[in-house]
Amino acid sequence: MSDTSLTRIAIAGAAGRMGQALSTLCLGDETLKLVGASEAPSYHNIGKDVGELIGLGKTGIVLRSDVAAAADDAQCYVDFTRPKVTLNAISSLRKTGVRALVIGTTGFSDDEMVALKENTRDFAIVYSGNFSLGVNMLSALVERAAKSLGEDWDIEVLETHHRHKVDAPSGTALLLGEAAARGRGGELKDMKLPPYDGVTGERPPGRIGFSVRRSGGVIGEHEVSFSSMEEVLSLSHSALDRKVFARGALRAAKWVVSQPPGFYSMTDVLGL
């Protein structure tokens, strides 16, 4: 396959856990070409070869602190970092030819999400709290169950992640909560229960609750339970390898480079 037919990718946070998974898969995919990688200016291995850092030998792609320089030859920029870092990166990408992004960053505030969506006038952005096929299938099942079961069924979302995760509930838990809210014909912001703590009183009907665990090296576990006074239905997903998210993100990258500016989800990518 010629270089001109490959999707050219630049990866943010390439030395992190997700960045390494993305880089490894990208370098092993004959339809993709890794052309750039960025990291925080304070990272001690800036200037080192990405392939050597992940144990794959020299690739000729070095870690850069300058996003625009890292993405100079890319078609799509893949970012799983932090909200402010992501938004700053998009500003830098305006200096490049990149007009397609895949964003798996979680923890955006309402204002930051508004700022992110404003960029869709110029960029095609695939955003998701989770890029795995299994989670997105789970989301579709949660929406259907919420639509079919009445408000006398309580909805609870439980998520477990590794001790290093900085936001809660996780982006995936919120994605599942939003699916449940859609199923009930509303928005999560109007249905989400506050965290359980202290004397909370009886659980109000029709609301969606969240529980969070942070433990060791757990990659990601999610369960949505629908409970009536007589029975419980549970739908769940467990990630066994971080590559499942990276694989989905790179699939999204291949898809989004041919899309017009707009805000897309994995539902669009997968045609669900």
Side-chain angles (χ1 to χ4, degrees), residues 16-19 80-82 104 106 129-130 159-172 212-222 239-242 245:
R17 288 184 294 272
M18 268 303 299
F80 281 70
T81 56
R82 297 193 180 181
T106 59
N130 192 298
E159 59 105 333
T160 306
H161 279 87
H162 51 86
R163 64 176 63 165
H164 302 294
K165 190 162 182 62
V166 298
D167 57 306
S170 69
T172 303
V212 173
R213 294 186 299 204
R214 294 289 174 262
S215 184
V218 177
I219 293 174
E221 297 177 353
H222 296 84
L240 305 179
D241 191 319
R242 194 166 274 105
F245 311 125

PDB file of all heavy atoms in Angstrom, residues 16-19 80-82 104 106 129-130 159-172 212-222 239-242 245:
ATOM      1  N   GLY A  16       2.208   8.081  27.511  1.00  0.00           N
ATOM      2  CA  GLY A  16       1.306   7.602  28.546  1.00  0.00           C
ATOM      3  C   GLY A  16       0.766   6.212  28.230  1.00  0.00           C
ATOM      4  O   GLY A  16       1.075   5.614  27.196  1.00  0.00           O
ATOM      5  N   ARG A  17      -0.069   5.690  29.137  1.00  0.00           N
ATOM      6  CA  ARG A  17      -0.602   4.332  28.958  1.00  0.00           C
ATOM      7  C   ARG A  17      -1.393   4.201  27.661  1.00  0.00           C
ATOM      8  O   ARG A  17      -1.179   3.279  26.873  1.00  0.00           O
ATOM      9  CB  ARG A  17      -1.480   3.955  30.168  1.00  0.00           C
ATOM     10  CG  ARG A  17      -0.683   3.704  31.442  1.00  0.00           C
ATOM     11  CD  ARG A  17      -1.582   3.252  32.578  1.00  0.00           C
ATOM     12  NE  ARG A  17      -2.504   4.320  32.982  1.00  0.00           N
ATOM     13  CZ  ARG A  17      -2.224   5.244  33.883  1.00  0.00           C
ATOM     14  NH1 ARG A  17      -1.053   5.265  34.461  1.00  0.00           N
ATOM     15  NH2 ARG A  17      -3.110   6.171  34.205  1.00  0.00           N
ATOM     16  N   MET A  18      -2.336   5.125  27.428  1.00  0.00           N
ATOM     17  CA  MET A  18      -3.111   5.056  26.196  1.00  0.00           C
ATOM     18  C   MET A  18      -2.261   5.424  24.996  1.00  0.00           C
ATOM     19  O   MET A  18      -2.393   4.836  23.916  1.00  0.00           O
ATOM     20  CB  MET A  18      -4.327   5.981  26.282  1.00  0.00           C
ATOM     21  CG  MET A  18      -5.575   5.310  26.801  1.00  0.00           C
ATOM     22  SD  MET A  18      -6.082   3.872  25.828  1.00  0.00           S
ATOM     23  CE  MET A  18      -6.384   4.632  24.241  1.00  0.00           C
ATOM     24  N   GLY A  19      -1.394   6.405  25.147  1.00  0.00           N
ATOM     25  CA  GLY A  19      -0.535   6.821  24.045  1.00  0.00           C
ATOM     26  C   GLY A  19       0.340   5.692  23.549  1.00  0.00           C
ATOM     27  O   GLY A  19       0.530   5.505  22.338  1.00  0.00           O
ATOM     28  N   PHE A  80      -5.937  11.547  23.987  1.00  0.00           N
ATOM     29  CA  PHE A  80      -6.496  10.988  25.225  1.00  0.00           C
ATOM     30  C   PHE A  80      -5.721  11.613  26.384  1.00  0.00           C
ATOM     31  O   PHE A  80      -5.012  10.918  27.104  1.00  0.00           O
ATOM     32  CB  PHE A  80      -6.322   9.466  25.266  1.00  0.00           C
ATOM     33  CG  PHE A  80      -7.304   8.675  24.447  1.00  0.00           C
ATOM     34  CD1 PHE A  80      -7.252   8.697  23.065  1.00  0.00           C
ATOM     35  CD2 PHE A  80      -8.277   7.886  25.058  1.00  0.00           C
ATOM     36  CE1 PHE A  80      -8.130   7.957  22.292  1.00  0.00           C
ATOM     37  CE2 PHE A  80      -9.168   7.141  24.302  1.00  0.00           C
ATOM     38  CZ  PHE A  80      -9.105   7.170  22.914  1.00  0.00           C
ATOM     39  N   THR A  81      -5.820  12.919  26.553  1.00  0.00           N
ATOM     40  CA  THR A  81      -5.032  13.566  27.602  1.00  0.00           C
ATOM     41  C   THR A  81      -5.954  14.144  28.684  1.00  0.00           C
ATOM     42  O   THR A  81      -6.660  13.394  29.338  1.00  0.00           O
ATOM     43  CB  THR A  81      -4.115  14.649  26.988  1.00  0.00           C
ATOM     44  OG1 THR A  81      -4.894  15.596  26.250  1.00  0.00           O
ATOM     45  CG2 THR A  81      -3.079  14.012  26.063  1.00  0.00           C
ATOM     46  N   ARG A  82      -5.928  15.456  28.851  1.00  0.00           N
ATOM     47  CA  ARG A  82      -6.785  16.129  29.839  1.00  0.00           C
ATOM     48  C   ARG A  82      -7.455  17.319  29.174  1.00  0.00           C
ATOM     49  O   ARG A  82      -6.936  17.856  28.188  1.00  0.00           O
ATOM     50  CB  ARG A  82      -5.963  16.550  31.055  1.00  0.00           C
ATOM     51  CG  ARG A  82      -5.383  15.345  31.777  1.00  0.00           C
ATOM     52  CD  ARG A  82      -4.834  15.686  33.140  1.00  0.00           C
ATOM     53  NE  ARG A  82      -4.297  14.498  33.789  1.00  0.00           N
ATOM     54  CZ  ARG A  82      -3.769  14.476  35.004  1.00  0.00           C
ATOM     55  NH1 ARG A  82      -3.710  15.599  35.715  1.00  0.00           N
ATOM     56  NH2 ARG A  82      -3.312  13.353  35.519  1.00  0.00           N
ATOM     57  N   GLY A 104     -10.559  11.167  23.148  1.00  0.00           N
ATOM     58  CA  GLY A 104     -11.022  10.277  24.201  1.00  0.00           C
ATOM     59  C   GLY A 104     -10.779  10.857  25.577  1.00  0.00           C
ATOM     60  O   GLY A 104     -10.925  10.166  26.582  1.00  0.00           O
ATOM     61  N   THR A 106     -11.484  12.611  28.964  1.00  0.00           N
ATOM     62  CA  THR A 106     -12.687  12.700  29.791  1.00  0.00           C
ATOM     63  C   THR A 106     -12.494  13.754  30.871  1.00  0.00           C
ATOM     64  O   THR A 106     -11.394  14.272  31.072  1.00  0.00           O
ATOM     65  CB  THR A 106     -13.011  11.348  30.439  1.00  0.00           C
ATOM     66  OG1 THR A 106     -11.904  10.918  31.246  1.00  0.00           O
ATOM     67  CG2 THR A 106     -13.295  10.289  29.381  1.00  0.00           C
ATOM     68  N   GLY A 129     -16.595   8.887  25.393  1.00  0.00           N
ATOM     69  CA  GLY A 129     -16.069   8.520  26.695  1.00  0.00           C
ATOM     70  C   GLY A 129     -15.472   7.124  26.674  1.00  0.00           C
ATOM     71  O   GLY A 129     -14.775   6.716  27.610  1.00  0.00           O
ATOM     72  N   ASN A 130     -15.743   6.372  25.599  1.00  0.00           N
ATOM     73  CA  ASN A 130     -15.196   5.026  25.476  1.00  0.00           C
ATOM     74  C   ASN A 130     -15.246   4.599  24.016  1.00  0.00           C
ATOM     75  O   ASN A 130     -16.282   4.739  23.364  1.00  0.00           O
ATOM     76  CB  ASN A 130     -15.989   4.046  26.342  1.00  0.00           C
ATOM     77  CG  ASN A 130     -15.307   2.708  26.487  1.00  0.00           C
ATOM     78  OD1 ASN A 130     -15.088   2.005  25.518  1.00  0.00           O
ATOM     79  ND2 ASN A 130     -14.968   2.351  27.721  1.00  0.00           N
ATOM     80  N   GLU A 159     -19.030   1.966  38.357  1.00  0.00           N
ATOM     81  CA  GLU A 159     -17.792   1.888  37.572  1.00  0.00           C
ATOM     82  C   GLU A 159     -16.588   1.715  38.477  1.00  0.00           C
ATOM     83  O   GLU A 159     -16.541   2.260  39.582  1.00  0.00           O
ATOM     84  CB  GLU A 159     -17.634   3.113  36.664  1.00  0.00           C
ATOM     85  CG  GLU A 159     -17.611   4.461  37.379  1.00  0.00           C
ATOM     86  CD  GLU A 159     -16.220   5.081  37.457  1.00  0.00           C
ATOM     87  OE1 GLU A 159     -15.219   4.331  37.447  1.00  0.00           O
ATOM     88  OE2 GLU A 159     -16.154   6.307  37.558  1.00  0.00           O
ATOM     89  N   THR A 160     -15.604   0.945  37.979  1.00  0.00           N
ATOM     90  CA  THR A 160     -14.354   0.721  38.695  1.00  0.00           C
ATOM     91  C   THR A 160     -13.188   0.989  37.750  1.00  0.00           C
ATOM     92  O   THR A 160     -13.182   0.499  36.612  1.00  0.00           O
ATOM     93  CB  THR A 160     -14.249  -0.732  39.202  1.00  0.00           C
ATOM     94  OG1 THR A 160     -15.408  -1.047  39.979  1.00  0.00           O
ATOM     95  CG2 THR A 160     -12.988  -0.917  40.048  1.00  0.00           C
ATOM     96  N   HIS A 161     -12.212   1.778  38.219  1.00  0.00           N
ATOM     97  CA  HIS A 161     -11.020   2.071  37.433  1.00  0.00           C
ATOM     98  C   HIS A 161      -9.780   2.039  38.327  1.00  0.00           C
ATOM     99  O   HIS A 161      -9.880   2.013  39.550  1.00  0.00           O
ATOM    100  CB  HIS A 161     -11.127   3.447  36.762  1.00  0.00           C
ATOM    101  CG  HIS A 161     -11.931   3.442  35.508  1.00  0.00           C
ATOM    102  ND1 HIS A 161     -13.294   3.605  35.501  1.00  0.00           N
ATOM    103  CD2 HIS A 161     -11.571   3.273  34.208  1.00  0.00           C
ATOM    104  CE1 HIS A 161     -13.745   3.555  34.258  1.00  0.00           C
ATOM    105  NE2 HIS A 161     -12.721   3.363  33.452  1.00  0.00           N
ATOM    106  N   HIS A 162      -8.630   2.101  37.680  1.00  0.00           N
ATOM    107  CA  HIS A 162      -7.336   2.094  38.359  1.00  0.00           C
ATOM    108  C   HIS A 162      -7.168   3.325  39.259  1.00  0.00           C
ATOM    109  O   HIS A 162      -7.855   4.337  39.097  1.00  0.00           O
ATOM    110  CB  HIS A 162      -6.204   2.046  37.325  1.00  0.00           C
ATOM    111  CG  HIS A 162      -6.342   3.096  36.268  1.00  0.00           C
ATOM    112  ND1 HIS A 162      -5.862   4.378  36.417  1.00  0.00           N
ATOM    113  CD2 HIS A 162      -6.942   3.056  35.041  1.00  0.00           C
ATOM    114  CE1 HIS A 162      -6.133   5.080  35.330  1.00  0.00           C
ATOM    115  NE2 HIS A 162      -6.781   4.313  34.472  1.00  0.00           N
ATOM    116  N   ARG A 163      -6.259   3.227  40.162  1.00  0.00           N
ATOM    117  CA  ARG A 163      -6.049   4.275  41.175  1.00  0.00           C
ATOM    118  C   ARG A 163      -5.550   5.597  40.593  1.00  0.00           C
ATOM    119  O   ARG A 163      -5.609   6.631  41.254  1.00  0.00           O
ATOM    120  CB  ARG A 163      -5.046   3.788  42.225  1.00  0.00           C
ATOM    121  CG  ARG A 163      -3.659   3.539  41.668  1.00  0.00           C
ATOM    122  CD  ARG A 163      -2.677   3.148  42.746  1.00  0.00           C
ATOM    123  NE  ARG A 163      -3.055   1.891  43.380  1.00  0.00           N
ATOM    124  CZ  ARG A 163      -2.229   1.179  44.148  1.00  0.00           C
ATOM    125  NH1 ARG A 163      -0.991   1.609  44.337  1.00  0.00           N
ATOM    126  NH2 ARG A 163      -2.633   0.065  44.707  1.00  0.00           N
ATOM    127  N   HIS A 164      -5.052   5.585  39.345  1.00  0.00           N
ATOM    128  CA  HIS A 164      -4.487   6.801  38.761  1.00  0.00           C
ATOM    129  C   HIS A 164      -5.533   7.671  38.052  1.00  0.00           C
ATOM    130  O   HIS A 164      -5.209   8.783  37.644  1.00  0.00           O
ATOM    131  CB  HIS A 164      -3.387   6.435  37.759  1.00  0.00           C
ATOM    132  CG  HIS A 164      -2.276   5.630  38.354  1.00  0.00           C
ATOM    133  ND1 HIS A 164      -1.421   6.135  39.312  1.00  0.00           N
ATOM    134  CD2 HIS A 164      -1.911   4.335  38.150  1.00  0.00           C
ATOM    135  CE1 HIS A 164      -0.556   5.193  39.664  1.00  0.00           C
ATOM    136  NE2 HIS A 164      -0.835   4.100  38.970  1.00  0.00           N
ATOM    137  N   LYS A 165      -6.741   7.168  37.905  1.00  0.00           N
ATOM    138  CA  LYS A 165      -7.768   7.936  37.181  1.00  0.00           C
ATOM    139  C   LYS A 165      -8.140   9.179  37.974  1.00  0.00           C
ATOM    140  O   LYS A 165      -8.349   9.109  39.187  1.00  0.00           O
ATOM    141  CB  LYS A 165      -9.001   7.077  36.910  1.00  0.00           C
ATOM    142  CG  LYS A 165      -9.987   7.739  35.968  1.00  0.00           C
ATOM    143  CD  LYS A 165     -10.961   6.738  35.383  1.00  0.00           C
ATOM    144  CE  LYS A 165     -11.917   7.397  34.394  1.00  0.00           C
ATOM    145  NZ  LYS A 165     -11.209   7.979  33.244  1.00  0.00           N
ATOM    146  N   VAL A 166      -8.251  10.322  37.284  1.00  0.00           N
ATOM    147  CA  VAL A 166      -8.415  11.590  38.009  1.00  0.00           C
ATOM    148  C   VAL A 166      -9.843  12.133  37.983  1.00  0.00           C
ATOM    149  O   VAL A 166     -10.153  13.051  38.747  1.00  0.00           O
ATOM    150  CB  VAL A 166      -7.460  12.665  37.448  1.00  0.00           C
ATOM    151  CG1 VAL A 166      -6.007  12.245  37.633  1.00  0.00           C
ATOM    152  CG2 VAL A 166      -7.735  12.952  35.969  1.00  0.00           C
ATOM    153  N   ASP A 167     -10.736  11.597  37.130  1.00  0.00           N
ATOM    154  CA  ASP A 167     -12.098  12.127  37.064  1.00  0.00           C
ATOM    155  C   ASP A 167     -13.111  11.045  37.453  1.00  0.00           C
ATOM    156  O   ASP A 167     -12.870   9.859  37.280  1.00  0.00           O
ATOM    157  CB  ASP A 167     -12.422  12.660  35.664  1.00  0.00           C
ATOM    158  CG  ASP A 167     -12.232  11.602  34.578  1.00  0.00           C
ATOM    159  OD1 ASP A 167     -11.130  11.020  34.511  1.00  0.00           O
ATOM    160  OD2 ASP A 167     -13.175  11.347  33.814  1.00  0.00           O
ATOM    161  N   ALA A 168     -14.219  11.483  38.028  1.00  0.00           N
ATOM    162  CA  ALA A 168     -15.273  10.563  38.436  1.00  0.00           C
ATOM    163  C   ALA A 168     -16.625  11.291  38.405  1.00  0.00           C
ATOM    164  O   ALA A 168     -16.689  12.465  38.758  1.00  0.00           O
ATOM    165  CB  ALA A 168     -14.999  10.038  39.848  1.00  0.00           C
ATOM    166  N   PRO A 169     -17.698  10.613  37.970  1.00  0.00           N
ATOM    167  CA  PRO A 169     -17.701   9.292  37.353  1.00  0.00           C
ATOM    168  C   PRO A 169     -16.906   9.289  36.044  1.00  0.00           C
ATOM    169  O   PRO A 169     -16.678  10.347  35.453  1.00  0.00           O
ATOM    170  CB  PRO A 169     -19.179   9.012  37.084  1.00  0.00           C
ATOM    171  CG  PRO A 169     -19.941   9.974  37.936  1.00  0.00           C
ATOM    172  CD  PRO A 169     -19.051  11.178  38.057  1.00  0.00           C
ATOM    173  N   SER A 170     -16.529   8.119  35.593  1.00  0.00           N
ATOM    174  CA  SER A 170     -15.744   8.001  34.376  1.00  0.00           C
ATOM    175  C   SER A 170     -16.542   8.475  33.164  1.00  0.00           C
ATOM    176  O   SER A 170     -17.780   8.534  33.188  1.00  0.00           O
ATOM    177  CB  SER A 170     -15.333   6.540  34.163  1.00  0.00           C
ATOM    178  OG  SER A 170     -16.464   5.754  33.840  1.00  0.00           O
ATOM    179  N   GLY A 171     -15.816   8.785  32.095  1.00  0.00           N
ATOM    180  CA  GLY A 171     -16.487   9.170  30.860  1.00  0.00           C
ATOM    181  C   GLY A 171     -17.411   8.074  30.356  1.00  0.00           C
ATOM    182  O   GLY A 171     -18.486   8.338  29.815  1.00  0.00           O
ATOM    183  N   THR A 172     -17.009   6.815  30.556  1.00  0.00           N
ATOM    184  CA  THR A 172     -17.843   5.693  30.125  1.00  0.00           C
ATOM    185  C   THR A 172     -19.115   5.606  30.957  1.00  0.00           C
ATOM    186  O   THR A 172     -20.201   5.366  30.432  1.00  0.00           O
ATOM    187  CB  THR A 172     -17.059   4.377  30.235  1.00  0.00           C
ATOM    188  OG1 THR A 172     -15.866   4.485  29.465  1.00  0.00           O
ATOM    189  CG2 THR A 172     -17.882   3.211  29.726  1.00  0.00           C
ATOM    190  N   VAL A 212     -18.835   4.846  42.384  1.00  0.00           N
ATOM    191  CA  VAL A 212     -17.477   4.886  41.837  1.00  0.00           C
ATOM    192  C   VAL A 212     -16.527   4.120  42.749  1.00  0.00           C
ATOM    193  O   VAL A 212     -16.565   4.269  43.975  1.00  0.00           O
ATOM    194  CB  VAL A 212     -16.989   6.344  41.702  1.00  0.00           C
ATOM    195  CG1 VAL A 212     -15.522   6.399  41.297  1.00  0.00           C
ATOM    196  CG2 VAL A 212     -17.847   7.107  40.698  1.00  0.00           C
ATOM    197  N   ARG A 213     -15.659   3.297  42.130  1.00  0.00           N
ATOM    198  CA  ARG A 213     -14.575   2.637  42.855  1.00  0.00           C
ATOM    199  C   ARG A 213     -13.254   2.920  42.148  1.00  0.00           C
ATOM    200  O   ARG A 213     -13.190   2.941  40.927  1.00  0.00           O
ATOM    201  CB  ARG A 213     -14.805   1.120  42.921  1.00  0.00           C
ATOM    202  CG  ARG A 213     -16.019   0.708  43.734  1.00  0.00           C
ATOM    203  CD  ARG A 213     -16.113  -0.793  43.880  1.00  0.00           C
ATOM    204  NE  ARG A 213     -16.247  -1.482  42.605  1.00  0.00           N
ATOM    205  CZ  ARG A 213     -16.789  -2.701  42.475  1.00  0.00           C
ATOM    206  NH1 ARG A 213     -17.238  -3.350  43.546  1.00  0.00           N
ATOM    207  NH2 ARG A 213     -16.867  -3.269  41.288  1.00  0.00           N
ATOM    208  N   ARG A 214     -12.196   3.145  42.909  1.00  0.00           N
ATOM    209  CA  ARG A 214     -10.851   3.309  42.375  1.00  0.00           C
ATOM    210  C   ARG A 214      -9.979   2.264  43.054  1.00  0.00           C
ATOM    211  O   ARG A 214      -9.848   2.268  44.281  1.00  0.00           O
ATOM    212  CB  ARG A 214     -10.319   4.725  42.652  1.00  0.00           C
ATOM    213  CG  ARG A 214     -11.095   5.801  41.907  1.00  0.00           C
ATOM    214  CD  ARG A 214     -10.812   5.749  40.409  1.00  0.00           C
ATOM    215  NE  ARG A 214     -11.640   6.678  39.658  1.00  0.00           N
ATOM    216  CZ  ARG A 214     -12.754   6.349  39.019  1.00  0.00           C
ATOM    217  NH1 ARG A 214     -13.184   5.087  39.058  1.00  0.00           N
ATOM    218  NH2 ARG A 214     -13.438   7.245  38.335  1.00  0.00           N
ATOM    219  N   SER A 215      -9.389   1.381  42.238  1.00  0.00           N
ATOM    220  CA  SER A 215      -8.729   0.231  42.841  1.00  0.00           C
ATOM    221  C   SER A 215      -7.584  -0.288  41.973  1.00  0.00           C
ATOM    222  O   SER A 215      -7.804  -0.680  40.817  1.00  0.00           O
ATOM    223  CB  SER A 215      -9.763  -0.888  43.046  1.00  0.00           C
ATOM    224  OG  SER A 215      -9.211  -1.996  43.701  1.00  0.00           O
ATOM    225  N   GLY A 216      -6.370  -0.284  42.518  1.00  0.00           N
ATOM    226  CA  GLY A 216      -5.227  -0.925  41.885  1.00  0.00           C
ATOM    227  C   GLY A 216      -5.054  -0.573  40.425  1.00  0.00           C
ATOM    228  O   GLY A 216      -5.043   0.578  40.033  1.00  0.00           O
ATOM    229  N   GLY A 217      -4.924  -1.603  39.607  1.00  0.00           N
ATOM    230  CA  GLY A 217      -4.661  -1.406  38.181  1.00  0.00           C
ATOM    231  C   GLY A 217      -5.834  -1.750  37.283  1.00  0.00           C
ATOM    232  O   GLY A 217      -5.631  -2.020  36.094  1.00  0.00           O
ATOM    233  N   VAL A 218      -7.052  -1.730  37.827  1.00  0.00           N
ATOM    234  CA  VAL A 218      -8.234  -2.096  37.033  1.00  0.00           C
ATOM    235  C   VAL A 218      -8.344  -1.186  35.808  1.00  0.00           C
ATOM    236  O   VAL A 218      -8.363   0.040  35.926  1.00  0.00           O
ATOM    237  CB  VAL A 218      -9.526  -1.985  37.875  1.00  0.00           C
ATOM    238  CG1 VAL A 218     -10.747  -2.290  37.012  1.00  0.00           C
ATOM    239  CG2 VAL A 218      -9.470  -2.947  39.054  1.00  0.00           C
ATOM    240  N   ILE A 219      -8.430  -1.770  34.625  1.00  0.00           N
ATOM    241  CA  ILE A 219      -8.503  -0.989  33.388  1.00  0.00           C
ATOM    242  C   ILE A 219      -9.857  -0.309  33.262  1.00  0.00           C
ATOM    243  O   ILE A 219      -9.943   0.878  32.947  1.00  0.00           O
ATOM    244  CB  ILE A 219      -8.236  -1.895  32.167  1.00  0.00           C
ATOM    245  CG1 ILE A 219      -6.782  -2.369  32.193  1.00  0.00           C
ATOM    246  CG2 ILE A 219      -8.519  -1.146  30.863  1.00  0.00           C
ATOM    247  CD1 ILE A 219      -6.444  -3.386  31.129  1.00  0.00           C
ATOM    248  N   GLY A 220     -10.932  -1.047  33.485  1.00  0.00           N
ATOM    249  CA  GLY A 220     -12.259  -0.449  33.415  1.00  0.00           C
ATOM    250  C   GLY A 220     -13.348  -1.494  33.517  1.00  0.00           C
ATOM    251  O   GLY A 220     -13.375  -2.452  32.739  1.00  0.00           O
ATOM    252  N   GLU A 221     -14.231  -1.337  34.499  1.00  0.00           N
ATOM    253  CA  GLU A 221     -15.388  -2.220  34.657  1.00  0.00           C
ATOM    254  C   GLU A 221     -16.629  -1.355  34.840  1.00  0.00           C
ATOM    255  O   GLU A 221     -16.607  -0.390  35.616  1.00  0.00           O
ATOM    256  CB  GLU A 221     -15.206  -3.140  35.866  1.00  0.00           C
ATOM    257  CG  GLU A 221     -14.036  -4.098  35.743  1.00  0.00           C
ATOM    258  CD  GLU A 221     -13.826  -4.944  36.988  1.00  0.00           C
ATOM    259  OE1 GLU A 221     -14.519  -4.696  38.009  1.00  0.00           O
ATOM    260  OE2 GLU A 221     -12.961  -5.837  36.950  1.00  0.00           O
ATOM    261  N   HIS A 222     -17.684  -1.690  34.118  1.00  0.00           N
ATOM    262  CA  HIS A 222     -18.924  -0.916  34.194  1.00  0.00           C
ATOM    263  C   HIS A 222     -20.130  -1.846  34.260  1.00  0.00           C
ATOM    264  O   HIS A 222     -20.181  -2.847  33.547  1.00  0.00           O
ATOM    265  CB  HIS A 222     -19.053   0.011  32.980  1.00  0.00           C
ATOM    266  CG  HIS A 222     -17.992   1.059  32.922  1.00  0.00           C
ATOM    267  ND1 HIS A 222     -16.733   0.821  32.384  1.00  0.00           N
ATOM    268  CD2 HIS A 222     -17.976   2.342  33.372  1.00  0.00           C
ATOM    269  CE1 HIS A 222     -16.004   1.918  32.495  1.00  0.00           C
ATOM    270  NE2 HIS A 222     -16.716   2.848  33.083  1.00  0.00           N
ATOM    271  N   ALA A 239     -13.185  -4.352  30.567  1.00  0.00           N
ATOM    272  CA  ALA A 239     -12.061  -4.213  29.628  1.00  0.00           C
ATOM    273  C   ALA A 239     -10.889  -5.029  30.155  1.00  0.00           C
ATOM    274  O   ALA A 239     -10.482  -4.867  31.308  1.00  0.00           O
ATOM    275  CB  ALA A 239     -11.670  -2.748  29.486  1.00  0.00           C
ATOM    276  N   LEU A 240     -10.339  -5.909  29.314  1.00  0.00           N
ATOM    277  CA  LEU A 240      -9.242  -6.776  29.719  1.00  0.00           C
ATOM    278  C   LEU A 240      -7.887  -6.273  29.235  1.00  0.00           C
ATOM    279  O   LEU A 240      -6.854  -6.707  29.720  1.00  0.00           O
ATOM    280  CB  LEU A 240      -9.479  -8.196  29.188  1.00  0.00           C
ATOM    281  CG  LEU A 240     -10.813  -8.832  29.578  1.00  0.00           C
ATOM    282  CD1 LEU A 240     -10.930 -10.227  28.971  1.00  0.00           C
ATOM    283  CD2 LEU A 240     -10.969  -8.885  31.091  1.00  0.00           C
ATOM    284  N   ASP A 241      -7.913  -5.346  28.270  1.00  0.00           N
ATOM    285  CA  ASP A 241      -6.679  -4.820  27.702  1.00  0.00           C
ATOM    286  C   ASP A 241      -6.945  -3.409  27.202  1.00  0.00           C
ATOM    287  O   ASP A 241      -7.937  -3.176  26.502  1.00  0.00           O
ATOM    288  CB  ASP A 241      -6.217  -5.713  26.533  1.00  0.00           C
ATOM    289  CG  ASP A 241      -4.811  -5.387  26.057  1.00  0.00           C
ATOM    290  OD1 ASP A 241      -4.461  -4.187  25.968  1.00  0.00           O
ATOM    291  OD2 ASP A 241      -4.055  -6.326  25.744  1.00  0.00           O
ATOM    292  N   ARG A 242      -6.074  -2.469  27.550  1.00  0.00           N
ATOM    293  CA  ARG A 242      -6.249  -1.074  27.140  1.00  0.00           C
ATOM    294  C   ARG A 242      -6.270  -0.926  25.621  1.00  0.00           C
ATOM    295  O   ARG A 242      -6.785   0.051  25.077  1.00  0.00           O
ATOM    296  CB  ARG A 242      -5.141  -0.232  27.765  1.00  0.00           C
ATOM    297  CG  ARG A 242      -5.375   1.255  27.711  1.00  0.00           C
ATOM    298  CD  ARG A 242      -4.435   2.006  28.630  1.00  0.00           C
ATOM    299  NE  ARG A 242      -4.967   2.073  29.990  1.00  0.00           N
ATOM    300  CZ  ARG A 242      -4.517   1.351  31.007  1.00  0.00           C
ATOM    301  NH1 ARG A 242      -3.529   0.505  30.830  1.00  0.00           N
ATOM    302  NH2 ARG A 242      -5.048   1.469  32.207  1.00  0.00           N
ATOM    303  N   PHE A 245      -9.529   0.081  23.623  1.00  0.00           N
ATOM    304  CA  PHE A 245      -9.886   1.480  23.422  1.00  0.00           C
ATOM    305  C   PHE A 245      -9.073   2.082  22.276  1.00  0.00           C
ATOM    306  O   PHE A 245      -9.593   2.843  21.456  1.00  0.00           O
ATOM    307  CB  PHE A 245      -9.649   2.287  24.699  1.00  0.00           C
ATOM    308  CG  PHE A 245     -10.235   1.666  25.936  1.00  0.00           C
ATOM    309  CD1 PHE A 245      -9.456   1.415  27.042  1.00  0.00           C
ATOM    310  CD2 PHE A 245     -11.582   1.321  25.983  1.00  0.00           C
ATOM    311  CE1 PHE A 245      -9.985   0.828  28.179  1.00  0.00           C
ATOM    312  CE2 PHE A 245     -12.133   0.739  27.118  1.00  0.00           C
ATOM    313  CZ  PHE A 245     -11.332   0.487  28.217  1.00  0.00           C
TER     314      PHE A 245
END
